[in-house]
Amino acid sequence: MIEERIVGSLAPQAVNVVIRASPTTAVANSSWENRSSGTCLLMSRILMAYRGGMQDEVDRLVAAWQRERPDLDVAPMQVLSRITRLALHLDRARREAFANQGLETSDFDVLSALRRAGKPYQLSPGHLVQQTLVTSGTMTHRVDRLVGKELVERLPDPADRRGVLVRLTPAGRSSVDAALTALLGREQDLLANLGTEATTQVVDALRTLSLPFDGS
């Protein structure tokens, strides 16, 4: 399973840290004869650490799959199903934070890339494509929409007679700054149950998972 390969890059301690980001309890015991020793260790630690605690929806999902498919190793779901569910909550928070500024998530991605670039807050379309991981056609559409909202402008590229630069307007800067402030407030609410130490551990564990996909 792809989930097993991804979670396999984490040490058991790091997996437990990611799981602690959501209130949980372990699933019921099942047969581990055909599981890897690492998976057995991981799940046994989860069982010991969380038995008797609160349950979330992932606990119930994993328990059901273990009951119905005891031949499969469902341990990766403990981590990745929670990441998927948290991503849905984050997406909702992002859309709510941007709504007051009349922005879509895709608008914010472009505006924030320009804002992070520093003065004069401009990038070529190619650099915007690289930073937002979309096609050039999609980026053209997004820039057109933002030009229509007067949040960005197209300028000739002095280094390339055939090229253009996309620059943040003053209105665009104000809009992205306000949206970022609102977003960070909602993200802090999502992480309110984690202390500083736990947050640092979650960051380290998630970085271990994401680095192979970043090509770093």
Side-chain angles (χ1 to χ4, degrees), residues 33-52:
E33 288 81 358
N34 297 322
R35 313 293 173 87
S36 67
S37 59
T39 297
C40 292
L41 174 61
L42 165 62
M43 292 305 293
S44 65
R45 289 187 180 187
I46 294 171
L47 285 165
M48 289 187 293
Y50 301 107
R51 183 177 285 113

Side-chain angles (χ1 to χ4, degrees), residues 110-111 113-115 117 120-126 128 139-140 142-144 146-147 151-157 163-169:
V110 176
L111 296 177
L114 295 169
R115 182 68 172 89
Y121 310 115
Q122 65 185 29
L123 291 170
S124 69
L128 286 172
M139 180 54 62
T140 298
R142 292 182 179 182
V143 171
D144 285 345
L146 291 170
V147 168
L151 299 179
V152 304
E153 58 184 346
R154 286 189 175 95
L155 301 172
D157 185 347
V164 298
L165 294 172
V166 181
R167 178 182 293 179
L168 201 60
T169 66

Side-chain angles (χ1 to χ4, degrees), residues 2 4 179:
I2 187 171
E4 187 169 10

Side-chain angles (χ1 to χ4, degrees), residues 101-162:
Q101 296 301 316
L103 299 177
E104 301 289 339
T105 298
S106 58
D107 297 334
F108 179 81
D109 289 343
V110 176
L111 296 177
S112 61
L114 295 169
R115 182 68 172 89
R116 292 193 306 270
K119 292 183 178 180
Y121 310 115
Q122 65 185 29
L123 291 170
S124 69
H127 280 102
L128 286 172
V129 166
Q130 292 174 4
Q131 293 198 29
T132 57
L133 302 178
V134 299
T135 66
S136 58
T138 297
M139 180 54 62
T140 298
H141 175 72
R142 292 182 179 182
V143 171
D144 285 345
R145 184 170 64 242
L146 291 170
V147 168
K149 294 181 178 181
E150 299 185 346
L151 299 179
V152 304
E153 58 184 346
R154 286 189 175 95
L155 301 172
D157 185 347
D160 182 354
R161 288 185 301 175
R162 295 177 299 176

Side-chain angles (χ1 to χ4, degrees), residues 84-110:
T84 299
R85 289 170 183 269
L86 288 170
L88 294 175
H89 291 293
L90 177 58
D91 181 64
R92 184 180 300 114
R94 286 167 63 88
R95 285 187 277 107
E96 291 173 353
F98 303 153
N100 289 338
Q101 296 301 316
L103 299 177
E104 301 289 339
T105 298
S106 58
D107 297 334
F108 179 81
D109 289 343
V110 176

Side-chain angles (χ1 to χ4, degrees), residues 59-105:
D59 289 314
R60 291 182 280 274
L61 179 152
V62 172
W65 277 121
Q66 284 195 313
R67 182 188 67 242
E68 296 299 319
R69 291 298 307 273
D71 58 307
L72 293 179
D73 179 1
V74 296
M77 290 183 178
Q78 289 280 5
V79 175
L80 298 178
S81 291
R82 286 184 171 86
I83 291 175
T84 299
R85 289 170 183 269
L86 288 170
L88 294 175
H89 291 293
L90 177 58
D91 181 64
R92 184 180 300 114
R94 286 167 63 88
R95 285 187 277 107
E96 291 173 353
F98 303 153
N100 289 338
Q101 296 301 316
L103 299 177
E104 301 289 339
T105 298

